[in-house]
């Protein structure tokens, strides 16, 4: 089993390798390249071999992924969507987690934090296209890869056409497809593409029938947009039928898509590597057995997931910041640009916002934070890499001819240290030139020239590439009413406002730049600000502008037979200060969320991180401008802008309360011999569906068989004392960094933590202990065992790996020196209250396991803890087992501010504590994460507003589990502010029961 998991992880590593060095002058290396010209239409969405089209218009689909289930505060979904939009994306990809919606066969919930209808409406309102990825299987570092708990009890093989499995799948698909169907673009929504399975690498006849079934089911349920599958790497699995390329297997899908995670790794210890050049998975590829220039010539290049970060493992030293760099600035230019040049015009980065694997969502490989090093961090801040994405997405939006470009032939480069991918639009001949190092993961500093036959003539362009980087250059294109002949600067924005053009170009700080624009006669050039030299070549009609990228230069160009132009030339980071929505350009604030014109009023909304200037380029009609609803006084600026007369206010600081009024109670009464377990289920010999081997003739001890799938589970076994009761031996399954605690008659006899070897999680273990003398005294004895299940495995390889057993697998009390015979034991089991009939459907499936305190509602805000013992600070020693701490506090985040607050444990500077203990963290009843002090690396747990009440009372309940050794006790716990801006959205408290009786 572990081997399989290793294989799965190694597979990720394989995809990180693989480098293809291009010849110095990149060109089509596949003369046989045949792109499908037939247009396949699915209502408003259509495609040919070159691009997707919406309403017949070619579009680059520029997307990133978010998981609403990893942000249990629906009002904040909009915050993420707005930040994605502001970062230049036109689409969002959404996985759905079947198990999150379904605690029990036939029981589904799509309300509250599970309201997918609301999510899709928001995406639509924010102007994002949606790619839906509905499972049934998604992987996604989720427990069971998104399968519901009850599926591990199904004996039929998952991800095949076994009827029992298909019956379950159809139940889910009927529900989710109906919601998606009504949000499709043809029905007034914005869903444009739909995925029916994820990385199904097995291609047996049974799997083919399964894929056919999923396709037919989607169509029967009213999904009309193109359907695809996400191939695990560009292998050519499930290429649409009739593609005519050599492949492993074809399938019913309309489009071929694949995922890939290249670009090196963040080694354990946190240093990025730059292992490989960006692969050519399209036009410039050298081919190979499957696919050549395209794995599917009749559908456009489509990366359904392209690594935009990576997840982090229990016990690492904290890899998210490293991943944000590793797959961050420069990597995005080089790798995403190479994809684009290769014709991959549909790209979705995984993740755009990772979020939080709260409660029992995580698979064994990951801990609570699913930050992923994504462009939007877990506390909802746009990282620098998001600023770079804004610039790249801005170019894609401005150059409408980008969609459907094909290779345009070689160019002359004065050095072989650099390569140029040179593409053009067959319709307009506009050019895209991607300039990278050769190979693209090089990092030299090269000044060189590129000579090319461009649409407006033959030109020699002086360029520089300094370090691991790429330039996205545009030439021969009509933008903003102008003719861009070529530019060594990159285009961030280009659009028309009223009857004039605005263009924002940028380049690396202090690097020289040149831009050529074409006119029919000499235009009037006014350099309003900065040092820009200009000459006009009357023979060609070329206006040449020369400058250095430093701060912001402003140029007005009038006449010359074209509408006027405001040309802004920035250094790269000055470009970050700009935000665009529609035809409004804003400079200054931390974020622009929206710019809405109605009549003479322009309503701007956004965030400030400090007091900020505001400069606006807005249509003339906008006479009254507001910022977050407040009137802004503007005066004329330079180059057509207007500038606020006073700065926009920044956020106010606010104090956080100390957490020092704790109430404490012992939480493992199950260890007491006289504990009443009469209501518990008896362990019996029911059918065993797990893939985990166990000794013959044993009862079925696995927790799932009794309806307990998430979190902690208790077992109590009774035996009669005998001189042979010398040892206890337990086999158990507990997921990543899971554990088992074993008690005899109320005393701890052992605790075992599963080792957290990196990056391979060990998910099962065997614990053996000598029993104390007490076990050999006559009369009844009770063994109490708590297993902490840190998640079921995923099913990445479609081998039922998710059915590895959890809880106890086998248990025996026996004489020392071998298993000659075992002492008879009667076992009982108790997990989550209600099992699959969950008692708190609002917080739902991931929220609770089976701790005594959870079964009693101690985690809930309305629980009355007055009888509990008071403690100002957590005690330095604990009894073995679980101890609960509760406290209440008030927050007063200033109105109109968006902060991300977090709970922090111990010393934030060290990834692992010397003290060994674990904490389940409940905030207002919501299980927001697990801290394992001695494993790490996460110590700071952001709690989204909506779960946390920013302007009112809150309850924190901590279930602290320790072996009772001196010092293995809760370290100081504090509230910290991770982020604080003025602005944000109104966030309502997520309604949820306050007690078990609500
Ligand atoms: C691929 C999965 O499709 C996705 O669900 C997620 O698990 C992602 O990778 C990793 O975060 S799996 C592939 C890398 C083998």
């Amino acid at each position: 089993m572990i081997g399989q998991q290793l294989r799965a992880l190694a597979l990720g590593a394989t995809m990180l390798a693989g480098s293809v060095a291009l010849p110095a002058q990149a060109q089509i290396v596949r003369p046989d390249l045949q792109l499908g010209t037939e247009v396949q239409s699915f209502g408003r969405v259509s495609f040919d071999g070159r691009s997707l089209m919406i309403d017949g218009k070619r579009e680059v689909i520029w997307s990133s992924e978010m998981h609403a289930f990893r942000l249990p505060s629906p009002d904040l979904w909009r915050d993420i969507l707005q930040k994605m939009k502001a970062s230049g994306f036109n689409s969002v990809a959404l996985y759905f987690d079947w198990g999150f919606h379904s605690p029990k066969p036939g029981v589904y919930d799509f309300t509250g934090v599970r309201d997918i209808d609301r999510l899709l409406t928001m995406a639509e309102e924010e102007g994002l296209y949606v790619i839906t990825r509905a499972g049934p299987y998604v992987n996604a570092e989720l427990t069971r890869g998104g399968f519901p708990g009850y599926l591990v009890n199904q004996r039929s093989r998952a991800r095949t056409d076994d009827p029992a499995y298909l019956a379950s799948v159809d139940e889910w698909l009927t529900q989710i497809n109906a919601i998606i169907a009504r949000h499709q673009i043809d029905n007034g929504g914005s869903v444009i593409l739909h995925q029916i399975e994820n990385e199904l690498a097995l291609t047996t006849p049974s799997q083919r029938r399964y894929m056919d079934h999923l396709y037919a089911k989607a169509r029967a349920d009213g999904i009309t947009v193109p359907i695809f599958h996400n191939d695990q790497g560009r292998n050519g699995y499930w290429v649409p039928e009739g593609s005519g390329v050599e492949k492993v297997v074809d399938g019913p899908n309309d489009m071929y898509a694949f995922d890939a995670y290249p670009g090196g790794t963040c080694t354990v210890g946190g240093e990025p590597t730059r292992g490989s050049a960006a692969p050519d998975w399209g036009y410039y590829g050298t081919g190979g057995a499957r696919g050549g220039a395209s794995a599917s010539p009749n559908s456009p290049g489509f990366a359904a997931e392209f690594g935009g970060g990576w997840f982090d493992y229990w016990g690492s030293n904290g890899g998210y910041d490293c991943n944000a760099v590793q797959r961050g600035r420069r990597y995005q230019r080089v790798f995403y640009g190479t994809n684009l040049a290769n014709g991959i015009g549909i790209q979705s980065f995984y993740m755009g916002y990772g979020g939080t694997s709260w409660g029992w969502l995580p698979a064994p490989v990951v801990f609570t934070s699913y930050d992923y090093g994504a462009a939007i961090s877990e506390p909802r801040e746009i990282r620098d890499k998001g600023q770079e994405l804004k610039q790249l997405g801005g170019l894609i939006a401005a150059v409408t001819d980008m969609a459907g470009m094909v290779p345009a032939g070689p160019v002359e480069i004065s050095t072989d240290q650099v390569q140029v991918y040179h593409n053009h639009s067959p319709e307009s001949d506009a050019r895209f030139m991607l300039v990278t190092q050769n190979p693209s993961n090089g990092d030299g500093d090269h000044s060189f020239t590129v000579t090319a036959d461009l649409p407006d003539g033959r030109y020699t362009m002086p360029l520089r590439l300094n370090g691991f980087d790429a330039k996205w250059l545009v030439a021969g294109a009509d933008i903003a009413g102008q003719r861009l002949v070529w530019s060594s600067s990159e285009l961030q924005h280009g659009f028309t406002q009223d009857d004039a053009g605005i263009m924002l170009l940028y380049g690396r700080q202090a690097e020289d730049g040149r831009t050529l624009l074409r006119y029919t006669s000499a235009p009037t050039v006014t350099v309003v600000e900065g040092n820009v030299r200009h000459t006009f070549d009357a023979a060609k009609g070329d206006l040449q502008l020369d400058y250095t990228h430093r701060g912001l230069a402003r140029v007005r160009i009038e006449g010359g037979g074209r509408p006027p132009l405001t040309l802004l030339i920035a250094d790269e980071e000055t470009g970050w200060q700009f935000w665009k929505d529609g035809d409004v350009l804003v400079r200054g604030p931390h974020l622009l969320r929206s710019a809405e014109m109605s009549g003479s009023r322009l309503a701007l909304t956004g965030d400030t991180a400090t007091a900020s200037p505001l400069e606006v380029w807005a249509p003339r009609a906008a006479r009254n401008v507001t910022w977050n609803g407040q009137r802004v006084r503007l005066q004329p600026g330079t180059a057509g802008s207007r500038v606020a007369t006073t700065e926009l206010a920044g956020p106010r600081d606010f104090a956080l309360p100390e957490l020092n009024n704790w109430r404490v109670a012992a939480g493992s009464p199950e260890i007491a011999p006289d504990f009443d377990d009469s209501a518990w289920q008896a362990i019996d010999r029911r059918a065993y569906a797990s893939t985990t081997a166990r000794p013959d003739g044993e009862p079925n001890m696995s927790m799932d068989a009794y309806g307990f799938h998430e979190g902690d589970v208790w077992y109590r076994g009774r035996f009669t004392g005998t001189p042979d009761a010398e040892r206890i031996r337990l086999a158990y399954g507990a997921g990543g960094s899971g554990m088992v605690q074993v008690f005899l008659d109320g005393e701890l006899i052992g605790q075992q933590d599963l080792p957290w070897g990196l990056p391979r999680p060990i998910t099962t273990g065997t614990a053996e202990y000598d029993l104390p003398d007490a076990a050999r005294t006559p009369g009844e004895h009770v063994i109490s065992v708590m297993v902490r299940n840190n998640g079921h495995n995923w099913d990445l390889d479609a081998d039922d790996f998710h059915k590895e057993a959890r809880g106890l697998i086998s248990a025996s009390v026996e004489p020392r020196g071998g298993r000659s015979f075992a002492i008879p034991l009667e076992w009982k089991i108790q997990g989550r209250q209600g099992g699959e009939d969950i008692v708190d459907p609002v917080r739902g499936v991931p929220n609770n396991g089976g701790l005594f305190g959870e079964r009693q509602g101690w985690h809930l805000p309305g629980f009355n803890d007055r009888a509990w013992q008071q403690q100002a600070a957590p005690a330095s020693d604990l009894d073995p087992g679980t101890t609960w701490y509760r406290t209440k506090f008030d927050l007063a985040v200033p109105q109109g501010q968006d902060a991300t607050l977090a709970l922090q444990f111990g010393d934030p500077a060290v990834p692992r504590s010397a003290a060994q203990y674990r904490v389940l963290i409940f905030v207002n009843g919501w299980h927001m994460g697990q801290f394992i002090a001695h494993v790490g690396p996460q110590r700071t747990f952001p709690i989204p507003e909506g779960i946390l009440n920013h302007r009112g009372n809150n309850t924190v309940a901590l279930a602290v589990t320790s072996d009772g050794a001196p010092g293995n006790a809760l370290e100081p716990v504090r509230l910290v502010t991770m982020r604080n801006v003025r602005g944000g959205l109104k966030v309502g408290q997520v309604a949820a029961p306050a007690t078990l009786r609500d």
Side-chain angles (χ1 to χ4, degrees):
M1 277 302 151
I2 283 159
Q4 285 167 325
Q5 185 118 357
L6 246 186
R7 194 150 35 83
L9 286 159
L11 209 140
T14 315
M15 287 196 250
L16 303 171
S19 105
V20 185
L22 275 172
Q25 294 175 24
Q27 51 187 293
I28 311 178
V29 288
R30 289 277 312 234
D32 58 328
L33 175 67
Q34 298 272 327
L35 289 172
T37 52
E38 187 205 333
V39 177
Q40 300 183 55
S41 292
F42 299 79
R44 292 179 60 191
V45 184
S46 62
F47 60 82
D48 61 9
R50 282 170 47 206
S51 79
L52 200 80
M53 289 168 260
I54 294 171
D55 298 325
K57 193 174 149 290
R58 294 189 184 279
E59 299 238 22
V60 172
I61 300 304
W62 192 244
S63 168
S64 68
E65 177 109 5
M66 80 167 279
H67 299 153
F69 51 82
R70 285 188 159 116
L71 179 57
S73 181
D75 288 335
L76 289 175
W77 298 341
R78 190 184 297 281
D79 177 68
I80 301 302
L81 296 168
Q82 289 185 342
K83 284 172 181 162
M84 286 179 162
K85 187 84 193 297
S87 311
F89 290 107
N90 59 23
S91 307
V92 59
L94 304 169
Y95 261 152
F96 301 116
D97 172 0
W98 174 8
F100 184 60
H101 296 268
S102 183
K104 186 182 176 180
V107 178
Y108 284 87
D109 187 292
F110 293 92
T111 64
V113 300
R114 277 167 280 276
D115 191 345
I116 288 173
D117 189 80
R118 187 167 170 206
L119 172 70
L120 293 175
T121 301
M122 280 185 192
E124 205 169 291
E125 288 168 352
E126 297 305 328
L128 290 165
Y129 295 129
V130 176
I131 301 171
T132 45
R133 313 204 301 149
Y137 184 74
V138 297
N139 209 55
E141 290 68 75
L142 288 167
T143 186
R144 303 174 294 269
F147 281 149
Y150 53 82
L151 222 64
V152 305
N153 290 332
Q154 203 168 71
R155 292 174 70 97
S156 67
R157 176 87 171 252
R159 307 175 78 187
T160 68
D161 69 337
D162 187 293
Y165 170 71
L166 287 189
S168 298
V169 156
D170 283 357
E171 243 182 51
W172 159 245
L173 292 177
T174 299
Q175 302 271 342
I176 187 73
N177 286 348
I179 300 170
I180 293 169
R182 54 178 190 267
H183 287 276
Q184 294 175 106
I185 189 165
D186 278 10
N187 299 339
S190 63
V191 174
I192 55 168
L193 294 166
H194 180 74
Q195 182 184 319
I196 52 170
E197 237 287 354
N198 194 64
E199 302 191 309
L200 187 60
L202 286 184
T203 52
T204 63
S206 160
Q207 256 117 13
R208 169 67 210 236
R209 291 192 297 272
Y210 167 50
M211 195 68 84
D212 286 343
H213 177 91
L214 296 176
Y215 186 94
K217 174 71 178 148
R219 289 288 177 239
D221 288 341
I223 303 287
T224 55
V225 296
I227 286 176
F228 66 97
H229 163 262
N230 173 34
D231 191 0
Q232 191 178 103
R234 191 169 171 279
N235 302 306
Y237 295 142
W238 308 110
V239 164
E241 270 168 342
S243 300
V245 290
E246 192 190 329
K247 58 197 169 292
V248 176
V249 73
D250 55 13
N253 308 302
D254 305 310
M255 298 179 79
Y256 174 73
F258 67 96
D259 65 25
Y261 291 80
T265 52
C266 275
T267 51
V268 180
E271 277 307 302
T273 63
R274 184 88 46 216
S276 62
D280 287 305
W281 278 317
Y283 297 156
Y284 296 92
T286 47
R290 294 174 220 119
S294 168
S296 171
N298 297 331
S299 64
F302 185 175
E305 287 172 31
F306 197 84
W310 190 246
F311 57 80
D312 198 13
Y313 313 89
W314 281 118
S316 86
N317 287 328
Y320 286 137
D321 286 336
C322 178
N323 261 300
V325 172
Q326 174 68 30
R327 291 195 179 78
R329 285 177 73 189
R330 309 302 182 232
Y331 158 85
Q332 303 177 122
R333 288 181 182 279
V334 173
F335 281 72
Y336 304 172
T338 302
N339 286 346
L340 205 52
N342 272 282
I344 302 174
I346 309 172
Q347 294 193 58
S348 189
F349 309 115
Y350 189 104
M351 299 292 297
Y353 167 75
T356 306
S357 300
W358 58 282
W360 299 109
L361 281 179
V365 279
V366 292
F367 50 89
T368 303
S369 173
Y370 199 68
D371 176 279
Y372 218 85
I376 304 171
S377 67
E378 187 186 17
R380 297 182 291 107
E381 183 62 46
I382 297 180
R383 289 189 157 111
D384 286 356
K385 64 189 277 190
Q387 298 285 2
E388 180 175 83
L389 287 168
K390 172 172 72 177
Q391 294 177 318
L392 301 180
L395 179 147
I396 290 170
V399 186
T400 47
D401 310 317
M402 282 291 287
M405 282 194 177
V406 295
V411 297
E412 286 171 25
I413 313 169
S414 64
T415 171
D416 61 3
Q417 302 295 298
V418 159
Q419 60 189 351
V420 177
Y421 294 78
H422 176 210
N423 286 2
H424 79 139
S425 157
E427 285 79 19
S428 70
D429 202 28
R431 304 298 168 89
F432 173 60
M433 286 173 286
L434 179 79
V435 183
T436 73
Q437 301 271 349
N438 183 20
S440 66
N441 57 334
D443 61 2
D445 181 359
H446 311 293
S447 292
F448 55 96
T449 58
V450 170
T451 304
D453 288 309
L454 297 175
D456 301 300
R458 186 172 177 80
Y459 289 92
T460 295
M461 301 171 273
L463 298 171
R464 182 172 173 199
L465 197 63
N466 183 6
F468 173 65
D469 198 356
K471 297 274 174 76
W472 290 35
L473 304 182
V474 176
D478 296 321
I479 297 163
Q482 307 291 316
R483 178 68 177 179
L484 179 63
V485 178
W486 64 267
S487 176
S488 63
S489 303
E490 290 164 274
L491 182 70
Q492 179 169 332
H493 296 301
F495 61 103
T496 301
Q497 188 178 81
D498 294 327
D499 43 16
I502 298 181
M503 249 189 237
L504 171 58
L505 297 169
Y506 68 96
R508 309 297 171 271
Q509 167 76 28
E511 228 173 66
D512 289 342
R514 178 174 294 170
T515 297
L516 271 70
L517 297 163
R518 181 154 291 191
Y519 297 94
T520 51
S521 59
T524 307
V525 180
T526 315
V527 178
V528 184
E529 195 180 319
N531 184 7
V532 179
R533 299 164 308 282
H534 54 94
T535 55
F536 185 70
D537 176 340
K540 285 188 182 156
D542 285 351
L543 172 70
Q544 178 175 316
L545 302 140
D546 284 282
Y547 45 82
T548 302
H549 299 101
R550 193 174 280 131
L552 184 68
R554 303 167 188 243
V555 182
R556 284 282 286 178
I557 302 171
E558 278 149 311
R562 292 195 176 273
L565 174 70
T566 298
L567 181 63
L568 305 170
I569 304 169
D571 66 60
E572 185 182 12
E573 295 194 14
T574 300
W576 294 1
Q577 299 168 358
F578 287 84
W579 303 94
K580 176 182 170 289
D581 186 28
D583 62 352
V584 175
L585 187 68
V586 162
R587 182 189 182 197
H590 192 62
L591 172 70
L592 176 75
R593 293 175 182 273
S594 64
E596 270 175 45
M597 286 282 301
S598 62
S600 63
R601 194 188 134 136
L602 171 63
L604 304 174
T605 65
D607 299 352
T608 51
T610 54
S612 310
L614 176 71
E615 184 167 12
V616 183
W617 285 261
R620 270 188 297 274
R623 285 190 299 280
N624 301 317
V625 176
T626 58
W627 176 259
N628 291 339
Q630 292 209 313
R631 182 73 187 271
V632 182
R633 268 180 199 293
L634 296 169
Q635 63 192 28
T638 47
S641 75
R642 285 180 271 170
V643 180
T645 53
T646 52
E647 288 195 321
L648 303 175
R652 283 192 281 142
D653 287 339
F654 56 90
L656 291 173
E658 278 180 32
L659 304 181
N660 50 17
N661 288 309
W662 295 99
R663 295 268 180 177
V664 186
S668 302
E670 298 92 337
I671 67 177
D674 59 353
F675 177 81
D676 178 9
D677 61 14
S678 55
W680 291 19
Q681 294 181 65
I683 294 288
D684 56 28
R685 296 181 177 274
R686 64 188 58 190
Y688 188 70
S690 170
T691 51
T692 305
R694 58 177 182 154
D696 288 341
E698 299 275 329
N700 184 350
M701 300 198 81
S702 73
M703 60 190 281
D704 293 281
Y706 299 86
F708 307 125
H709 309 299
E710 264 66 49
D712 299 317
V713 61
W714 278 96
Y715 294 85
R716 284 170 49 88
R718 288 183 173 79
F719 68 97
T720 306
T722 128
D724 293 322
E726 290 179 316
R727 281 181 73 66
I728 181 162
R729 180 156 60 175
L730 305 165
Y732 65 98
S737 291
M739 63 159 277
V740 62
Q741 282 191 329
V742 187
F743 301 84
L744 175 78
D745 298 335
E747 301 295 327
L748 182 77
I749 55 172
Q751 168 176 326
Q752 189 174 89
D753 286 40
L754 284 176
W756 44 267
L758 280 166
R760 175 181 57 121
I762 311 256
T763 48
T764 61
T766 310
E768 289 193 47
Y769 303 106
D770 285 339
L771 291 174
D773 290 343
R776 291 178 284 281
T777 58
E780 189 185 79
H781 297 280
V782 180
I783 304 271
S784 301
V785 179
M786 187 194 90
V787 183
R788 171 149 299 168
N789 169 22
N790 277 349
H792 287 84
N793 298 339
W794 53 26
D795 190 33
L796 186 60
D797 295 330
D799 53 8
D800 276 357
F801 195 31
H802 61 295
K803 294 177 186 169
E804 186 182 74
R806 290 294 181 264
L808 288 178
I809 298 162
S810 65
S812 56
V813 171
E814 57 201 35
R816 267 194 206 94
R819 200 164 184 280
S820 47
F821 66 95
I823 285 111
L825 276 153
E826 294 288 325
W827 286 101
K828 294 193 121 186
I829 182 171
Q830 176 66 56
R832 169 166 68 208
Q833 193 66 31
E836 290 177 1
D837 293 302
I838 48 178
V839 293
D840 182 357
V842 174
R843 296 183 181 86
V845 173
N847 206 61
N848 290 107
L851 287 178
F852 182 81
E854 293 177 279
R855 305 196 309 265
Q856 300 296 313
W858 294 359
H859 60 292
L860 293 170
F863 173 74
N864 184 344
D865 58 18
R866 255 167 302 176
W868 289 17
Q869 187 206 323
Q870 276 184 282
Q871 261 178 26
S876 54
D877 291 312
L878 287 174
D879 288 336
T882 296
T883 305
W884 284 75
Y885 286 83
R886 284 173 55 93
T887 189
K888 288 184 183 294
F889 57 90
D890 289 322
L891 290 174
V893 177
Q895 290 288 351
Q897 286 188 202
D898 179 11
T900 302
L901 308 183
L903 280 170
Q904 190 176 74
F905 295 80
D907 179 357
V910 294
R912 277 173 286 287
S913 306
Q916 304 197 6
Y917 66 97
R918 296 160 183 257
V919 185
L920 304 187
I921 304 161
F922 292 91
V923 178
N924 295 325
W926 295 81
H927 177 188
M928 293 314 298
Q930 182 180 188
F931 173 55
I932 309 183
H934 49 297
V935 176
Q938 187 181 5
R939 283 189 179 275
T940 306
F941 293 77
I943 314 295
E945 186 182 0
I947 296 301
L948 200 60
N949 185 349
H950 279 197
R951 291 163 197 97
N953 190 250
N954 293 280
T955 303
V956 165
L958 305 175
V960 183
T961 302
S962 162
D963 63 1
N968 285 346
L970 186 61
E971 294 162 281
V973 189
R974 64 188 76 80
L975 285 162
V976 294
T977 303
M978 295 182 82
R979 187 179 140 268
N980 179 26
V981 297
R982 184 183 286 258
L985 300 172
K986 260 209 161 20
V987 178
Q989 278 302 110
V990 180
T995 68
L996 284 184
R997 282 164 306 281
D998 289 346

